[in-house]
Amino acid sequence: MAANITKNQVLALYKSMLRESQKFPNYNFRAYALRRIKDAFKASKTLTDPKIIKKEFEFAQQNFALIKRQVVIGDMFRTDKLVIENLR
């Protein structure tokens, strides 16, 4: 990975993580993942040091891979929808 992470790369990763998190079959996991992603990216928005930005970007990529794996596992062990989900 290049030392300079572009804004477009960060936005693409952010959108990919949000999209993938929407695939969680469990409402609680889905809501938690979306909230954590938004909070983490918002907290990192003001970073200026390229080394820290690169470190945070790599951490986000690892979490994206984790989300993808967890979505697959969640699909294998699907449960009934919660009451809150049936209200939609």
Side-chain angles (χ1 to χ4, degrees):
M1 177 58 61
N4 295 331
I5 307 297
T6 66
K7 184 176 180 179
N8 286 338
Q9 287 174 307
V10 172
L11 288 174
L13 180 60
Y14 176 71
K15 289 178 183 179
S16 295
M17 290 179 81
L18 290 177
R19 248 185 264 114
E20 193 66 26
S21 294
Q22 288 290 348
K23 296 177 185 177
F24 274 115
N26 184 291
Y27 172 82
N28 291 323
F29 291 151
R30 192 168 49 247
Y32 177 76
L34 291 169
R35 186 174 60 251
R36 285 291 298 131
I37 291 165
K38 290 175 184 177
D39 289 348
F41 274 83
K42 192 181 295 185
S44 299
K45 188 176 183 177
T46 59
L47 294 177
T48 55
D49 184 2
K51 288 181 183 177
I52 296 174
I53 292 171
K54 183 175 188 251
K55 182 180 170 190
E56 291 294 320
F57 186 78
E58 289 170 353
F59 182 68
Q61 286 179 315
Q62 292 170 357
N63 280 308
F64 179 50
L66 180 121
I67 290 169
K68 289 167 90 173
R69 288 191 304 269
Q70 288 304 121
V71 165
V72 171
I73 291 169
D75 282 337
M76 292 188 322
F77 301 100
R78 205 173 269 275
T79 59
D80 293 336
K81 285 189 173 189
L82 299 175
V83 172
I84 194 167
E85 293 178 285
N86 291 328
L87 297 175
R88 293 180 183 179

